[in-house]
Coordinates of all heavy atoms in Angstrom, one line a residue:
R14 N -5.5 -21.9 2.9 CA -5.0 -21.0 3.9 C -5.3 -19.6 3.4 O -5.0 -19.2 2.2 CB -3.6 -21.2 4.1 CG -3.0 -20.6 5.3 CD -1.7 -21.2 5.7 NE -0.7 -21.2 4.7 CZ 0.6 -21.0 4.9 NH1 1.0 -20.7 6.1 NH2 1.4 -21.0 3.9
Q15 N -5.8 -18.7 4.2 CA -6.0 -17.3 3.8 C -4.8 -16.4 4.2 O -4.3 -16.5 5.2 CB -7.3 -16.8 4.5 CG -8.5 -17.6 4.1 CD -9.7 -16.6 4.1 OE1 -9.6 -15.5 4.5 NE2 -10.8 -17.2 3.6
V16 N -4.5 -15.6 3.2 CA -3.3 -14.7 3.4 C -3.9 -13.3 3.4 O -4.7 -12.9 2.6 CB -2.3 -14.9 2.2 CG1 -1.2 -13.9 2.3 CG2 -1.8 -16.3 2.1
N17 N -3.4 -12.5 4.4 CA -3.8 -11.1 4.5 C -2.6 -10.2 4.1 O -1.7 -9.9 4.9 CB -4.2 -10.8 5.9 CG -4.8 -9.4 6.1 OD1 -4.5 -8.5 5.3 ND2 -5.6 -9.2 7.1
D18 N -2.6 -9.9 2.8 CA -1.5 -9.1 2.2 C -1.4 -7.7 2.8 O -0.3 -7.2 3.0 CB -1.7 -9.0 0.7 CG -1.5 -10.3 0.0 OD1 -0.6 -11.1 0.4 OD2 -2.2 -10.5 -1.0
V19 N -2.5 -7.1 3.1 CA -2.5 -5.7 3.7 C -1.9 -5.8 5.1 O -1.1 -5.0 5.5 CB -4.0 -5.1 3.8 CG1 -4.0 -3.8 4.6 CG2 -4.4 -4.9 2.3
A20 N -2.2 -6.8 5.9 CA -1.6 -7.0 7.2 C -0.1 -7.2 7.1 O 0.7 -6.7 7.9 CB -2.3 -8.1 8.0
F21 N 0.3 -8.0 6.1 CA 1.7 -8.2 5.9 C 2.4 -6.9 5.6 O 3.5 -6.7 6.2 CB 1.9 -9.2 4.7 CG 3.3 -9.3 4.2 CD1 4.3 -10.0 5.0 CD2 3.8 -8.6 3.1 CE1 5.6 -10.1 4.6 CE2 5.1 -8.7 2.7 CZ 6.0 -9.4 3.4
L22 N 1.9 -6.1 4.7 CA 2.5 -4.8 4.4 C 2.5 -3.9 5.6 O 3.5 -3.2 5.8 CB 1.8 -4.1 3.2 CG 2.0 -4.8 1.9 CD1 1.2 -4.0 0.8 CD2 3.5 -4.8 1.5
D23 N 1.5 -3.9 6.5 CA 1.5 -3.2 7.7 C 2.7 -3.6 8.6 O 3.4 -2.7 9.1 CB 0.2 -3.4 8.5 CG -1.0 -2.6 8.0 OD1 -0.8 -1.6 7.4 OD2 -2.1 -3.0 8.3
T24 N 2.9 -4.9 8.7 CA 4.0 -5.4 9.5 C 5.3 -5.0 8.9 O 6.2 -4.5 9.6 CB 3.9 -6.9 9.7 OG1 2.6 -7.2 10.3 CG2 5.0 -7.4 10.5
L25 N 5.4 -5.1 7.6 CA 6.7 -4.7 6.9 C 7.0 -3.3 7.1 O 8.1 -2.9 7.5 CB 6.5 -5.1 5.4 CG 7.8 -4.8 4.6 CD1 9.0 -5.6 5.0 CD2 7.4 -5.1 3.1
V26 N 6.0 -2.4 7.0 CA 6.3 -1.0 7.1 C 6.7 -0.7 8.6 O 7.6 0.1 8.8 CB 5.0 -0.2 6.7 CG1 5.2 1.3 7.2 CG2 4.8 -0.2 5.2
T27 N 6.0 -1.3 9.5 CA 6.3 -1.1 11.0 C 7.7 -1.5 11.3 O 8.5 -0.8 11.9 CB 5.3 -1.9 11.8 OG1 4.0 -1.4 11.6 CG2 5.6 -1.7 13.3
V28 N 8.1 -2.7 10.8 CA 9.5 -3.2 11.1 C 10.5 -2.3 10.4 O 11.5 -1.9 11.0 CB 9.7 -4.6 10.6 CG1 11.1 -5.1 10.6 CG2 8.8 -5.5 11.5
L29 N 10.3 -1.9 9.1 CA 11.3 -1.0 8.4 C 11.4 0.3 9.1 O 12.4 0.9 9.1 CB 10.9 -0.9 7.0 CG 11.0 -2.2 6.1 CD1 10.5 -2.0 4.7 CD2 12.5 -2.7 6.1
A30 N 10.2 0.9 9.6 CA 10.3 2.2 10.2 C 11.0 2.1 11.6 O 11.8 3.0 11.9 CB 8.8 2.7 10.5
R31 N 10.8 1.0 12.3 CA 11.5 0.8 13.6 C 13.0 0.7 13.4 O 13.8 1.2 14.2 CB 11.0 -0.5 14.3 CG 11.6 -0.7 15.6 CD 10.9 -1.9 16.4 NE 11.0 -3.1 15.6 CZ 9.9 -3.9 15.4 NH1 8.7 -3.6 15.9 NH2 10.0 -5.0 14.7
E32 N 13.4 0.1 12.3 CA 14.9 0.0 12.0 C 15.4 1.2 11.3 O 16.6 1.2 10.9 CB 15.1 -1.3 11.1 CG 14.7 -2.6 11.7 CD 15.5 -2.9 12.9 OE1 16.8 -2.7 12.9 OE2 15.0 -3.5 13.9
A33 N 14.6 2.3 11.1 CA 15.0 3.5 10.5 C 15.3 3.4 9.0 O 16.2 4.1 8.5 CB 16.1 4.2 11.3
L34 N 14.7 2.4 8.4 CA 15.0 2.2 6.9 C 14.0 2.9 6.1 O 14.2 3.0 4.9 CB 15.0 0.7 6.6 CG 16.1 -0.1 7.4 CD1 15.9 -1.6 7.2 CD2 17.5 0.3 6.9
V35 N 12.9 3.3 6.6 CA 11.9 4.1 5.9 C 11.3 5.1 6.8 O 11.3 5.0 8.0 CB 10.7 3.2 5.3 CG1 11.2 2.2 4.3 CG2 9.9 2.6 6.4
D36 N 10.8 6.2 6.2 CA 10.2 7.2 7.0 C 8.7 7.0 6.9 O 8.1 7.1 5.8 CB 10.5 8.6 6.4 CG 9.8 9.8 7.2 OD1 8.9 9.5 8.0 OD2 10.2 10.9 6.9
P37 N 8.0 6.5 8.0 CA 6.6 6.2 7.9 C 5.7 7.3 7.5 O 4.5 7.1 7.2 CB 6.3 5.6 9.2 CG 7.3 6.2 10.2 CD 8.5 6.4 9.3
H38 N 6.2 8.6 7.6 CA 5.4 9.7 7.3 C 5.5 10.2 5.9 O 4.9 11.1 5.4 CB 5.7 10.9 8.2 CG 5.6 10.5 9.7 ND1 4.4 10.3 10.3 CD2 6.5 10.3 10.6 CE1 4.5 10.0 11.5 NE2 5.8 10.0 11.8
R39 N 6.4 9.5 5.1 CA 6.6 9.8 3.7 C 6.6 8.5 2.9 O 7.4 8.3 2.0 CB 8.0 10.5 3.5 CG 8.0 11.8 4.3 CD 9.4 12.5 4.2 NE 9.9 12.5 2.8 CZ 11.2 12.6 2.5 NH1 12.1 12.8 3.5 NH2 11.6 12.6 1.3
L40 N 5.7 7.6 3.2 CA 5.7 6.3 2.5 C 5.0 6.4 1.2 O 3.9 6.9 1.0 CB 4.9 5.4 3.5 CG 4.8 3.9 3.0 CD1 6.2 3.3 3.0 CD2 3.9 3.1 3.9
A41 N 5.7 5.8 0.2 CA 5.1 5.5 -1.1 C 5.2 4.1 -1.4 O 6.2 3.4 -1.0 CB 5.8 6.4 -2.2
V42 N 4.2 3.5 -2.0 CA 4.2 2.1 -2.4 C 4.1 2.0 -3.9 O 3.4 2.8 -4.6 CB 3.1 1.3 -1.7 CG1 3.4 1.2 -0.2 CG2 1.7 1.8 -1.9
A43 N 4.7 1.0 -4.5 CA 4.7 0.8 -5.9 C 4.7 -0.7 -6.2 O 5.2 -1.5 -5.4 CB 5.9 1.5 -6.6
G44 N 4.2 -1.0 -7.4 CA 4.2 -2.4 -7.8 C 4.0 -2.6 -9.3 O 3.5 -1.7 -9.9
F45 N 4.4 -3.8 -9.8 CA 4.2 -4.1 -11.2 C 3.2 -5.3 -11.3 O 3.3 -6.2 -10.5 CB 5.5 -4.6 -11.8 CG 5.4 -5.1 -13.1 CD1 5.3 -4.3 -14.2 CD2 5.5 -6.5 -13.4 CE1 5.1 -4.8 -15.5 CE2 5.3 -7.0 -14.7 CZ 5.2 -6.1 -15.7
S46 N 2.2 -5.1 -12.1 CA 1.2 -6.1 -12.4 C 0.4 -6.4 -11.1 O -0.2 -5.5 -10.6 CB 1.9 -7.4 -13.0 OG 0.9 -8.3 -13.5
A47 N 0.4 -7.7 -10.6 CA -0.3 -8.0 -9.4 C 0.2 -7.2 -8.2 O -0.6 -6.8 -7.3 CB -0.3 -9.5 -9.1
G48 N 1.5 -6.9 -8.2 CA 2.1 -6.1 -7.2 C 1.5 -4.6 -7.2 O 1.3 -4.0 -6.2
G49 N 1.3 -4.2 -8.4 CA 0.6 -2.8 -8.5 C -0.8 -2.8 -8.0 O -1.2 -1.9 -7.4
M50 N -1.5 -3.9 -8.3 CA -2.9 -4.0 -7.7 C -2.8 -4.1 -6.2 O -3.7 -3.4 -5.6 CB -3.5 -5.3 -8.3 CG -3.8 -5.2 -9.8 SD -4.3 -6.8 -10.5 CE -5.7 -7.2 -9.5
L51 N -1.8 -4.7 -5.6 CA -1.7 -4.8 -4.2 C -1.4 -3.4 -3.7 O -1.9 -2.9 -2.7 CB -0.7 -5.8 -3.7 CG -0.4 -5.8 -2.3 CD1 -1.6 -6.1 -1.4 CD2 0.7 -6.8 -2.0
A52 N -0.5 -2.7 -4.4 CA -0.2 -1.3 -4.0 C -1.4 -0.4 -3.9 O -1.6 0.4 -3.0 CB 0.9 -0.7 -4.9
L53 N -2.2 -0.5 -5.0 CA -3.5 0.3 -5.0 C -4.4 -0.1 -3.9 O -5.0 0.7 -3.2 CB -4.2 0.1 -6.3 CG -3.5 0.7 -7.5 CD1 -4.2 0.3 -8.8 CD2 -3.5 2.2 -7.4
R54 N -4.5 -1.4 -3.6 CA -5.4 -1.9 -2.5 C -4.9 -1.4 -1.2 O -5.6 -0.9 -0.3 CB -5.4 -3.4 -2.5 CG -6.3 -4.0 -1.4 CD -6.4 -5.5 -1.5 NE -7.0 -5.9 -0.2 CZ -6.8 -7.2 0.2 NH1 -6.1 -8.0 -0.5 NH2 -7.4 -7.5 1.3
Y55 N -3.6 -1.4 -1.0 CA -3.0 -0.9 0.3 C -3.3 0.6 0.4 O -3.6 1.0 1.5 CB -1.5 -1.2 0.3 CG -0.9 -1.0 1.7 CD1 -1.2 -1.8 2.7 CD2 -0.1 0.1 2.0 CE1 -0.6 -1.6 4.0 CE2 0.5 0.3 3.2 CZ 0.2 -0.6 4.2 OH 0.7 -0.4 5.5
A56 N -3.2 1.3 -0.7 CA -3.5 2.8 -0.6 C -4.9 3.0 -0.3 O -5.3 4.0 0.4 CB -3.1 3.4 -1.9
C57 N -5.8 2.2 -0.8 CA -7.2 2.3 -0.5 C -7.5 2.0 0.9 O -8.3 2.8 1.6 CB -8.1 1.3 -1.4 SG -8.3 1.9 -3.1
E58 N -7.0 1.0 1.5 CA -7.3 0.5 2.8 C -6.4 1.2 3.9 O -6.8 1.2 5.1 CB -7.1 -1.0 2.9 CG -8.1 -1.7 2.1 CD -8.1 -3.2 2.3 OE1 -7.6 -3.7 3.3 OE2 -8.5 -4.0 1.3
R59 N -5.3 1.7 3.5 CA -4.4 2.4 4.5 C -4.0 3.8 4.1 O -2.8 4.1 4.2 CB -3.2 1.5 4.8 CG -3.5 0.1 5.3 CD -4.0 0.2 6.7 NE -4.0 -1.1 7.3 CZ -5.1 -1.9 7.3 NH1 -6.2 -1.6 6.7 NH2 -5.0 -3.1 7.9
A60 N -4.9 4.5 3.6 CA -4.5 5.9 3.0 C -3.9 6.7 4.1 O -3.1 7.6 3.8 CB -5.8 6.6 2.5
E61 N -4.2 6.5 5.4 CA -3.5 7.3 6.4 C -2.0 7.0 6.6 O -1.3 7.8 7.1 CB -4.2 7.1 7.8 CG -4.0 5.7 8.4 CD -5.0 4.6 7.8 OE1 -5.8 4.9 6.9 OE2 -4.9 3.5 8.3
R62 N -1.6 5.9 6.0 CA -0.2 5.5 6.0 C 0.6 5.8 4.8 O 1.8 5.9 4.7 CB 0.0 4.0 6.3 CG -0.5 3.6 7.7 CD -0.1 2.2 8.0 NE 1.3 2.2 8.6 CZ 1.9 1.2 9.1 NH1 1.3 0.0 9.1 NH2 3.1 1.3 9.6
V63 N -0.1 6.0 3.6 CA 0.5 6.1 2.3 C 0.3 7.5 1.7 O -0.8 8.0 1.7 CB -0.1 5.1 1.4 CG1 0.4 5.2 0.0 CG2 0.0 3.7 1.9
R64 N 1.4 8.1 1.3 CA 1.3 9.4 0.6 C 1.1 9.3 -0.9 O 0.5 10.2 -1.5 CB 2.5 10.3 1.0 CG 2.6 10.7 2.4 CD 3.7 11.5 2.8 NE 3.4 12.9 2.4 CZ 4.3 13.9 2.5 NH1 5.5 13.6 2.9 NH2 3.9 15.1 2.2
A65 N 1.7 8.3 -1.4 CA 1.6 8.1 -2.9 C 1.7 6.6 -3.3 O 2.2 5.8 -2.5 CB 2.8 8.8 -3.6
V66 N 1.1 6.3 -4.4 CA 1.1 4.9 -4.9 C 1.4 5.0 -6.4 O 0.9 5.9 -7.1 CB -0.2 4.2 -4.6 CG1 -1.4 4.9 -5.2 CG2 -0.1 2.7 -5.0
A67 N 2.2 4.0 -6.9 CA 2.4 3.8 -8.3 C 2.1 2.4 -8.7 O 2.5 1.4 -8.1 CB 3.9 4.2 -8.7
D68 N 1.4 2.3 -9.8 CA 1.0 0.9 -10.3 C 1.4 0.9 -11.8 O 1.0 1.7 -12.6 CB -0.6 0.8 -10.2 CG -1.1 -0.4 -10.9 OD1 -0.3 -1.4 -11.2 OD2 -2.3 -0.5 -11.2
V69 N 2.3 -0.1 -12.1 CA 2.7 -0.3 -13.5 C 2.1 -1.6 -14.0 O 2.4 -2.7 -13.4 CB 4.3 -0.3 -13.5 CG1 4.8 -0.6 -15.0 CG2 4.9 1.0 -13.0
A70 N 1.4 -1.5 -15.1 CA 0.8 -2.6 -15.8 C -0.2 -3.5 -14.9 O -0.3 -4.7 -15.1 CB 1.9 -3.5 -16.4
G71 N -0.8 -2.9 -13.9 CA -1.8 -3.6 -13.1 C -3.1 -2.9 -13.3 O -3.2 -1.8 -13.8
A72 N -4.1 -3.6 -12.9 CA -5.5 -3.1 -13.0 C -6.0 -2.7 -11.6 O -5.4 -3.0 -10.6 CB -6.4 -4.2 -13.5
M73 N -7.0 -1.9 -11.5 CA -7.6 -1.6 -10.2 C -8.1 -2.8 -9.6 O -8.8 -3.7 -10.3 CB -8.7 -0.6 -10.4 CG -8.3 0.9 -10.7 SD -7.3 1.6 -9.4 CE -8.6 1.8 -8.1
P74 N -7.9 -3.0 -8.3 CA -8.5 -4.2 -7.6 C -10.0 -4.1 -7.7 O -10.6 -3.1 -7.8 CB -8.0 -4.0 -6.2 CG -6.9 -3.0 -6.2 CD -7.1 -2.2 -7.4
D75 N -10.6 -5.3 -7.8 CA -12.1 -5.4 -7.9 C -12.7 -5.3 -6.5 O -13.4 -6.2 -6.1 CB -12.4 -6.7 -8.6 CG -13.9 -6.7 -9.0 OD1 -14.5 -5.7 -9.1 OD2 -14.4 -7.9 -9.1
L76 N -12.4 -4.2 -5.8 CA -12.9 -4.0 -4.5 C -13.3 -2.5 -4.4 O -12.7 -1.6 -5.0 CB -11.8 -4.2 -3.4 CG -11.2 -5.7 -3.4 CD1 -10.0 -5.7 -2.5 CD2 -12.3 -6.6 -2.8
P77 N -14.3 -2.2 -3.5 CA -14.6 -0.8 -3.3 C -13.4 0.0 -2.7 O -12.7 -0.6 -1.9 CB -15.8 -0.8 -2.4 CG -16.1 -2.2 -2.1 CD -15.1 -3.1 -2.7
C78 N -13.2 1.2 -3.1 CA -12.1 2.0 -2.6 C -12.7 3.3 -2.0 O -13.1 4.1 -2.8 CB -11.1 2.3 -3.7 SG -9.7 3.2 -3.1
H79 N -12.6 3.4 -0.7 CA -13.0 4.6 0.0 C -11.9 5.1 1.0 O -12.1 4.9 2.2 CB -14.3 4.3 0.7 CG -15.4 3.8 -0.2 ND1 -16.1 4.6 -1.0 CD2 -15.9 2.6 -0.3 CE1 -17.0 3.9 -1.7 NE2 -16.9 2.6 -1.3
P80 N -10.8 5.6 0.4 CA -9.7 6.0 1.3 C -10.2 7.1 2.3 O -11.0 7.9 2.0 CB -8.7 6.5 0.4 CG -9.4 6.9 -0.9 CD -10.6 6.0 -1.0
R81 N -9.6 7.1 3.5 CA -9.9 8.1 4.5 C -9.3 9.5 4.2 O -9.8 10.5 4.7 CB -9.3 7.6 5.8 CG -10.0 6.4 6.3 CD -9.5 6.0 7.7 NE -10.1 4.8 8.1 CZ -9.6 3.8 8.8 NH1 -8.3 3.9 9.2 NH2 -10.2 2.8 9.1
Q82 N -8.3 9.5 3.3 CA -7.8 10.8 2.8 C -7.2 10.6 1.5 O -7.1 9.5 1.0 CB -6.7 11.3 3.8 CG -5.5 10.4 4.0 CD -4.6 10.8 5.1 OE1 -5.1 11.1 6.2 NE2 -3.3 10.8 4.9
G83 N -6.8 11.7 0.8 CA -6.3 11.7 -0.5 C -4.9 11.0 -0.6 O -4.1 11.2 0.3
V84 N -4.7 10.3 -1.7 CA -3.4 9.7 -2.0 C -3.0 10.0 -3.4 O -3.8 9.8 -4.3 CB -3.5 8.2 -1.8 CG1 -2.1 7.5 -2.1 CG2 -3.9 7.8 -0.4
S85 N -1.8 10.5 -3.6 CA -1.3 10.7 -5.0 C -1.2 9.4 -5.7 O -0.6 8.4 -5.1 CB 0.0 11.4 -5.0 OG -0.2 12.7 -4.5
V86 N -1.6 9.3 -7.0 CA -1.6 8.0 -7.7 C -1.0 8.2 -9.1 O -1.3 9.2 -9.8 CB -3.1 7.5 -7.9 CG1 -3.1 6.2 -8.7 CG2 -3.7 7.3 -6.6
L87 N -0.1 7.3 -9.4 CA 0.5 7.2 -10.8 C 0.1 5.8 -11.4 O 0.4 4.8 -10.8 CB 2.0 7.4 -10.7 CG 2.7 7.1 -12.1 CD1 2.4 8.2 -13.1 CD2 4.2 7.1 -11.9
L88 N -0.6 5.8 -12.5 CA -0.9 4.6 -13.2 C -0.2 4.6 -14.5 O -0.3 5.5 -15.3 CB -2.4 4.5 -13.5 CG -3.3 4.6 -12.2 CD1 -4.8 4.6 -12.6 CD2 -3.1 3.3 -11.4
V89 N 0.5 3.5 -14.8 CA 1.3 3.4 -16.0 C 0.9 2.1 -16.7 O 0.9 1.0 -16.1 CB 2.8 3.3 -15.8 CG1 3.6 3.2 -17.1 CG2 3.3 4.6 -15.0
Q90 N 0.4 2.2 -18.0 CA 0.1 1.0 -18.7 C 1.0 0.7 -19.8 O 1.5 1.6 -20.5 CB -1.4 1.1 -19.3 CG -2.4 1.0 -18.2 CD -2.4 -0.3 -17.5 OE1 -2.2 -1.4 -18.1 NE2 -2.7 -0.3 -16.2

């Protein structure tokens, strides 16, 4: 079965914004290890939704990254 993690995060952000639990205009994503890699991938693919990303102990995803706009990045190893 194929899982679309980016689509899952899109849905999660939409639901949380609708419930007024997050401000979709000030969204930051963060993750540890594989979660950090997912956070970086989400920032690459959805730069228009993400203002900042933090990755702790993860590597850059092995995918091309061409964000539509700049995103602040914090990498911690």
Side-chain angles (χ1 to χ4, degrees):
R14 197 163 51 142
Q15 296 216 353
V16 177
N17 187 334
D18 292 325
V19 172
F21 170 76
L22 289 178
D23 280 338
T24 301
L25 181 61
V26 169
T27 299
V28 169
L29 292 175
R31 183 174 54 232
E32 299 294 323
L34 298 172
V35 298
D36 181 349
H38 303 291
R39 297 176 48 200
L40 183 67
V42 292
F45 173 77
S46 192
M50 291 170 55
L51 176 57
L53 291 171
R54 179 175 168 203
Y55 192 71
C57 282
E58 295 185 23
R59 298 293 191 268
E61 68 279 0
R62 294 192 87 173
V63 177
R64 292 183 83 184
V66 60
D68 171 19
V69 178
M73 285 295 291
D75 191 21
L76 301 168
C78 181
H79 305 286
R81 294 183 181 143
Q82 62 190 46
V84 176
S85 296
V86 177
L87 172 66
L88 299 174
V89 179
Q90 288 298 322

